[in-house]
Amino acid sequence: MWSIGEKKVRIPLIQGGMGVGISLGNLAGAVAAEGGVGMISTAQIGFREKDFDQNPREANLRAIGQEMKRARAISPDGIIGYNIMAALRDYEDHVKAAVAAGADLIISGAGLPTELPRLIQGSRTKIAPIVSTEKSAKVILKYWDRNDHKTADLVVIEGPEAGGHLGFDREALEFYAQADYMEEIRRILEVVRSYERKFEKKIPVVAAGGIYDREDVERVMKSGVDGVQVASRFVTTEECDADIRYKEAYIQASREDIILVKSPVGMPGRAILNPFMKRVMLGERIPHTPCHGCLAKCSPAEIPYCITDALIAAARGRIEEALIFCGAKAYQAERIETVREAVESLFPKGQ
Ligand SMILES: Cc1cc2nc3c(=O)[nH]c(=O)nc-3n(C[C@H](O)[C@H](O)[C@H](O)COP(=O)(O)O)c2cc1C
């Protein structure tokens, strides 16, 4: 079994970070308490703060600390970290606040987290990039090596069946069958193993995307990865921080309702087809609230809708007006379960 710093991972399971407001302190703490790794997403994490509309930056930074406190109250000694998207405008501040809050781990994707090693320097926080292709693994590990003489403490490989924003263009997504992706996982593992040799340290690799049950875990572990990252499965848990109507949208969705969408971020994403998404697909421009400054690159005057508005609507349960991100297997949700039930079905005791 592997470790994150001094802490041993009891179950090789990371709960994937889910913004906005889907994986906060409650879910992350519950997963950590079961022996997995709990991840808090910092994407517009302060949306429930009173001053969020006026001061989104301060509200978010404050909430980063508060959510760790909530998670630690549930799991004082478990492994708890933050998912911080590299595409965020306040990326550096979020990383610093996460370190100050005592993050065991920071996982960063949605862009290349080139500055991450510099930002956590001198702390005990461990770092992991999210990669989807051999090419992105090579680019980020080489960059960290050359610039900072550092390598990753963990690598997350996010495949084409994941939820949220996806690290592939549309053509690649259509091209990848799961079988082909296993080959890509093996190639990424080769890249990571070469850095393990160079830095003489173990770099655990976890696979993410479309891992929903025990069978999925067993299939993907055969590729040689050290663990899995699972997100959608945890949405329909009692402990998940999302509104109950969001959880019910997963339970009601059928396979055909889960589609690829183009997000204003410029990346494809996966979501449930709902009235909001239909309006967007028909070319409607949805009016939005004043800019919350979430992304480094966004032109509020040109976007078809505001991603922050659409994701906050989702977290609050106004699901008709929301972007309901989900993984390719979210339709498999049948009921609300506890985190313990989900963890035990993915990693049955004694196996
Ligand atoms: C609702 C939702 C929100 C997500 N938000 C983020 C996010 O803020 N940052 C990120 O890096 N990944 C995000 N993801 C991706 C997950 O962390 C995870 O890697 C992926 O969904 C795994 O696939 P699965 O959902 O099939 O288990 C999100 C996924 C979902 C379903």
Side-chain angles (χ1 to χ4, degrees), residues 256-326:
E256 298 72 42
D257 297 327
I258 297 175
I259 56 162
L260 290 174
V261 299
K262 191 164 172 260
S263 134
V265 178
M267 299 174 183
R270 182 171 279 111
I272 296 178
L273 181 60
N274 64 347
F276 175 82
M277 226 41 250
K278 281 185 194 151
R279 285 167 65 195
V280 172
M281 286 162 90
L282 289 170
E284 196 179 323
R285 283 170 79 96
I286 318 275
H288 50 82
T289 59
C291 179
H292 290 90
C294 60
L295 300 168
K297 288 185 196 142
C298 178
S299 318
E302 286 159 33
I303 49 174
Y305 63 93
C306 163
I307 188 135
T308 285
D309 283 353
L311 291 177
I312 290 178
R316 292 217 160 108
R318 298 198 318 268
I319 56 167
E320 308 278 286
E321 311 157 36
L323 171 58
I324 307 174
F325 271 150
C326 70

Side-chain angles (χ1 to χ4, degrees), residues 227-250:
V228 294
Q229 174 170 292
V230 173
S232 296
R233 175 81 188 246
F234 287 109
V235 169
T236 46
T237 58
E238 276 169 24
E239 294 90 336
C240 171
D241 296 88
D243 187 276
I244 182 67
R245 287 164 289 184
Y246 190 93
K247 302 177 187 182
E248 282 163 358
Y250 270 43

Side-chain angles (χ1 to χ4, degrees), residues 15-20 22 41-43 83-85 107-110 130 156 158-159 161-165 208-212 229-233 235 246 250 270 324-330:
Q15 160 258 309
M18 292 179 279
V20 169
I22 312 294
S41 163
T42 74
N83 177 293
I84 310 179
M85 293 193 293
I107 299 182
S108 269
I130 303 175
V156 178
E158 203 178 67
E161 295 191 291
H165 289 117
I211 301 168
Y212 202 87
Q229 174 170 292
V230 173
S232 296
R233 175 81 188 246
V235 169
Y246 190 93
Y250 270 43
R270 182 171 279 111
I324 307 174
F325 271 150
C326 70
K329 301 258 180 84

